[in-house]
Amino acid sequence: MKTFRDRVAVVTGGASGIGRALAERFAADGMKVVLADVEEGPLAATAREMTAAGATVLAVRTDVAKAADVEALAERAWSAYGAVHVLCNNAGVGGGGLSWECSLAEWEWVLGVNLWGVIHGVRAFVPRMLAGGDEGHVVNTASVAGLSTAPGMGSYNVSKFGVVALSEVMHHEFTLLGAKLRVSVLCPAWVNTRIADADRNRPVEAAANGAANPAFEAMRDAVRNAVAAGLPPARVAEMVLDAIRDERFYVLTHPDFVPVVRHRMEGLLEGRNPSFGGFGR
């Protein structure tokens, strides 16, 4: 996809972080933007600020964990603009703790947003995009946590590995069908967003329980510091736009994580037990 002006982009998790940066970058290239986010106040504020800067924006409060919300988002997008050309399934939350101690509600929350949110987006938008017959692109936000694992990140790792797998399958399917759509999977590492503060949207029933594990608390602090010192979201948005133009599938934002991924892959092929040495160190 080379032409962006007057095309339509949908971005979930669009009120902050990478999502907002994507929306602003698309708008700068003349795209109409449909912003979706679960946080109504920040969503409205982002839409106002982007509109004041000259962007064409439609804001739709959306909980991506709910299929009905994502279907309604698609209906609003097509009703307003008649097409969608770029879909960014970007909304995400963090989670952690010992895998067997995380509550069912915690697992359901993290998988609901990070994995089911992408699944709902694919099911609601891709059939319509294919039927429209235009060239287009789907960007699914995963993480380097979808390519390598770490202790205390069970629900997050599972969700992000699922996004990578789904995206790879979609690549094969678009190729097999000769579709005009392409797909990329965004695998960021440390980016200066509010992902470390995802608890602000945590459902009451998914509240953390039990005593905090000191080792995991130390790792959580290290991750929080790394995120605070991470890449500007606008830089990640530039990488995504380049990937769309170049029809590049994998978007890895941090080259220094490549050896971590390589070590895991080589260990798998050589039959070694998993080793840890990437996140929070």
Side-chain angles (χ1 to χ4, degrees):
M1 183 172 171
K2 308 294 185 184
T3 303
F4 295 88
R5 180 161 298 280
D6 295 326
R7 301 292 182 92
V8 181
V10 175
V11 183
T12 67
S16 64
I18 293 173
R20 175 164 179 162
L22 287 168
E24 291 175 338
R25 187 63 188 82
F26 293 143
D29 264 28
M31 297 190 79
K32 302 176 179 70
V33 178
V34 181
L35 276 180
D37 202 284
V38 74
E39 292 191 275
E40 197 158 10
L43 175 64
T46 299
R48 284 196 303 271
E49 291 162 10
M50 289 185 61
T51 300
T56 301
V57 179
L58 170 66
V60 183
R61 195 270 177 188
T62 307
D63 181 350
V64 298
K66 298 178 179 178
D69 275 25
V70 182
E71 288 286 347
L73 174 64
E75 291 290 345
R76 291 285 303 278
W78 261 270
S79 293
Y81 300 126
V84 169
H85 304 94
V86 174
L87 168 65
C88 294
N89 291 310
N90 173 75
V93 297
L98 289 170
S99 302
W100 52 90
E101 290 184 353
C102 288
S103 68
L104 180 59
E106 161 96 358
W107 277 96
E108 290 174 339
W109 175 53
V110 175
L111 293 180
V113 176
N114 292 357
L115 180 55
W116 275 103
V118 176
I119 294 169
H120 293 325
V122 168
R123 295 189 69 254
F125 282 85
V126 169
R128 291 176 169 94
M129 293 170 74
L130 288 169
D134 294 331
E135 62 179 5
H137 209 103
V138 178
V139 180
N140 296 327
T141 298
S143 167
V144 292
L147 303 171
S148 185
T149 57
M153 295 179 61
S155 58
Y156 192 74
N157 277 140
V158 168
S159 69
K160 296 303 186 178
F161 266 72
V163 172
V164 172
L166 173 58
S167 302
E168 290 182 354
V169 169
M170 290 173 62
H171 170 79
H172 299 319
E173 291 169 340
F174 288 161
T175 301
L176 181 66
L177 294 175
K180 292 184 179 180
L181 299 186
R182 299 292 183 267
V183 59
S184 295
V185 63
L186 172 60
C187 296
W190 312 127
V191 181
N192 188 4
T193 71
R194 298 185 69 192
I195 187 68
D197 300 317
D199 281 357
R200 70 190 186 277
N201 293 316
R202 179 187 292 271
V204 174
E205 61 272 17
N209 50 25
N213 185 298
F216 291 158
E217 287 304 304
M219 191 170 76
R220 188 188 295 262
D221 288 342
V223 167
R224 188 179 296 275
N225 291 337
V227 167
L231 281 179
R235 178 70 188 103
V236 177
E238 288 287 349
M239 295 179 188
V240 170
L241 199 72
D242 288 344
I244 293 173
R245 287 195 181 103
D246 298 340
E247 298 185 358
R248 180 159 40 86
F249 179 81
Y250 296 106
V251 187
L252 275 67
T253 61
H254 289 66
D256 52 327
F257 269 85
V258 170
V260 176
V261 178
R262 180 180 292 113
H263 182 74
R264 176 180 178 272
M265 296 297 185
E266 290 174 348
L268 186 155
L269 294 174
E270 295 170 9
R272 298 196 305 262
N273 289 348
S275 60
F276 167 57
F279 298 98
R281 292 191 174 182

